């Protein structure tokens, strides 16, 4: 976190809120890329015993947490509400009840302080997390968004110009990690546990399937892979055979990573861009970063990914996206609503 020491006498300060799933977060950033505070109150321990996010519980926890989190974000940034230039808030995609908490608070603050309100798309926020970690990064680039709810390839042509090349037909990459982890009796969310287990396993031990691998096919599918892992584990159990969990984790992760890396590189070269940007919770995966780095180097491309804390859900990335919408005058009014299946570019 930084103290603001910019040259301009009055910095553009964006306060943003993120409540789309199971993290209540508020952040203040200065002049688009300087993070003054990024407070994240995670509900993971609350949902862990259910093996996944329970939407109603998430909404209730957001209600309890949101005001203290906003308060803490302002105090940590050493600013008051009266210093804030504009308010950004995630208004989709996500859980409708959870989104509504952030949207309602942001609307109230915008109305009370008479400052612009900016509705932010959560996926665009994940992409923009990279601008906070890499001050030199500018569009155009190819973004691979891999989170618990989404797997998409997005050609980012400019700060407000996105083209969706393809997305998953079924499970998202993070969802596949979490479901496989659950069957392997690992805690929720399972992605980080599979990641660390995979480090000691053999990625070639089990030949799990890679789907939709045709050239220039930018759609993804992970449900077949998930079923293949489940079948492998069930068959072994029925035969009374012992399974090497590290080998299963490494082989599963290799199947996910192979598909993500090869499609990201193909998409970048098809769109003639030389920069690839990773975004979303699965961008924290060490196997994915390593393979993508190796392949980018071979192809003469540059790879960017956010600092670990900015990979999973946080409000600083929402504030960064809001800043560029603020610059282009893309404001919302008090009719702003939560849109659970909000599309990119909206
Ligand atoms: O972006 P995010 O915080 O929430 C959504 O917008 O969905 O992503 C959460 C997802 C979870 O599925 C989690 O298991 C996954 O990111 N994840 C990982 C890793 N860290 C988080 N998946 C694989 N490897 C990791 N190291
Ligand atoms: Zn997310």
């Amino acid at each position: 976190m930084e103290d603001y020491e910019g040259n301009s006498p009055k910095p553009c300060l964006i306060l943003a809120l993120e409540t789309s799933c199971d993290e209540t977060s508020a952040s203040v950033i200065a002049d688009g890329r300087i993070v003054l505070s990024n407070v994240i109150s995670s509900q993971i321990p609350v949902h862990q015993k259910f093996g996944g996010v329970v939407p109603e519980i998430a909404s209730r926890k957001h209600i309890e947490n949101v005001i203290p989190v906003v308060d803490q974000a302002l105090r940590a940034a050493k600013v008051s509400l009266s210093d804030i230039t504009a308010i950004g808030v995630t208004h989709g995609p996500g859980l409708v009840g959870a989104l509504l908490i952030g949207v309602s608070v942001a609307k109230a603050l915008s109305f009370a302080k008479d400052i612009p309100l900016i509705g932010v798309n959560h996926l665009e926020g994940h992409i923009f997390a990279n601008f906070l970690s890499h001050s030199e990064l500018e569009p155009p680039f190819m973004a691979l968004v891999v989170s618990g709810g989404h797997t998409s390839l997005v050609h980012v042509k400019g700060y407000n110009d996105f083209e969706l090349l393809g997305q998953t037909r079924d499970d998202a990459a993070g969802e596949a990690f979490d479901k496989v982890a659950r069957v392997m009796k690992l805690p929720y969310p399972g992605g980080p546990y599979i990641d660390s287990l995979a480090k000691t396993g053999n990625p070639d031990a089990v030949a799990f399937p890679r789907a939709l691998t045709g050239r220039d096919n930018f759609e993804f599918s992970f449900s077949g892979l998930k079923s293949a892992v489940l079948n492998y584990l069930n068959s072994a159990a029925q035969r009374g055979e012992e399974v090497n969990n590290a080998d299963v984790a490494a082989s599963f992760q290799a199947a996910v990573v192979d598909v993500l890396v090869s499609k990201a590189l193909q998409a970048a070269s098809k769109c003639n861009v030389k920069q690839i940007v990773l975004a979303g919770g699965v961008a924290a995966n060490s196997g994915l970063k390593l393979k993508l780095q190796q392949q980018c180097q071979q192809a003469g491309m540059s790879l960017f990914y956010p600092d670990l804390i900015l990979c999973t859900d946080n409000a600083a990335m929402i504030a960064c996206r809001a800043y560029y919408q603020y610059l282009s005058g893309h404001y919302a009014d008090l009719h702003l609503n939560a849109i659970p299946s909000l599309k990119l570019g909206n």
Side-chain angles (χ1 to χ4, degrees), residues 45-285:
V46 179
H47 298 283
Q48 218 154 30
K49 56 180 172 290
F50 302 102
V53 178
V54 183
E56 182 59 26
I57 296 177
S59 308
R60 285 164 193 252
K61 283 283 157 198
H62 285 308
I63 293 175
E64 287 171 22
N65 294 341
V66 68
I67 299 297
V69 164
V70 169
D71 203 40
Q72 212 180 322
L74 290 168
R75 272 188 285 122
K78 301 193 184 81
V79 299
S80 80
L81 253 188
S82 309
D83 300 318
I84 299 296
T85 316
I87 298 197
V89 62
T90 306
H91 74 123
L95 302 169
V96 67
L99 288 164
L100 275 171
I101 313 301
V103 168
S104 308
V105 172
K107 283 205 264 192
L109 294 176
S110 153
F111 180 69
K113 288 288 168 188
D114 194 22
I115 49 177
L117 174 69
I118 297 165
V120 173
N121 180 304
H122 182 79
L123 295 191
E124 294 171 17
H126 272 302
I127 296 172
F128 277 56
N130 282 279
F131 293 128
L132 298 171
S133 296
H134 306 283
S135 54
E136 75 284 17
L137 178 64
E138 284 185 36
F141 52 75
M142 183 56 57
L144 173 63
V145 187
V146 272
S147 71
H150 298 270
T151 305
S152 316
L153 275 164
V154 182
H155 182 190
V156 178
K157 302 175 185 177
Y159 287 106
N160 299 300
D161 189 1
F162 315 110
E163 184 191 355
L164 178 66
L165 292 191
Q167 57 190 335
T168 184
R169 289 187 185 176
D170 40 58
D171 289 351
E175 193 178 356
F177 268 97
D178 294 344
K179 286 178 176 169
V180 165
R182 188 172 178 167
V183 183
M184 293 173 76
K185 307 210 166 26
L186 297 168
Y188 172 84
Y193 295 93
I194 299 253
D195 190 358
S196 69
L197 201 53
K199 286 185 181 132
T200 57
N202 173 8
D204 300 318
V206 193
F208 289 129
R210 276 80 167 148
L212 306 174
T213 50
R215 185 138 196 98
D216 287 351
N217 181 334
F218 300 126
E219 288 193 299
F220 299 88
S221 168
F222 294 110
S223 75
L225 169 60
K226 175 193 66 192
S227 304
V229 179
L230 302 199
N231 289 341
Y232 176 86
L233 293 170
N234 289 339
S235 312
Q238 276 168 4
R239 288 198 296 268
E241 287 169 10
E242 204 164 307
V243 163
N244 182 326
N245 269 348
D247 283 352
V248 174
S251 302
F252 160 74
Q253 183 169 293
V256 176
V257 166
D258 276 357
V259 174
L260 293 175
V261 170
S262 102
K263 287 181 189 267
L265 269 108
Q266 277 183 48
S269 65
K270 187 179 165 68
C271 295
N272 225 352
V273 294
K274 290 273 173 217
Q275 308 186 105
I276 294 185
V277 158
L278 257 182
V282 184
N285 186 266

Side-chain angles (χ1 to χ4, degrees), residues 278-310:
L278 257 182
V282 184
N285 186 266
S286 56
L288 175 60
K289 287 192 282 197
L290 186 67
K291 180 143 193 186
L292 204 45
Q293 188 75 66
Q294 288 164 346
Q295 302 273 313
C296 280
Q297 212 159 351
Q298 275 177 23
M301 294 188 189
S302 309
L303 174 66
F304 299 86
Y305 47 82
D307 294 327
L308 218 48
I309 191 67
L310 297 172

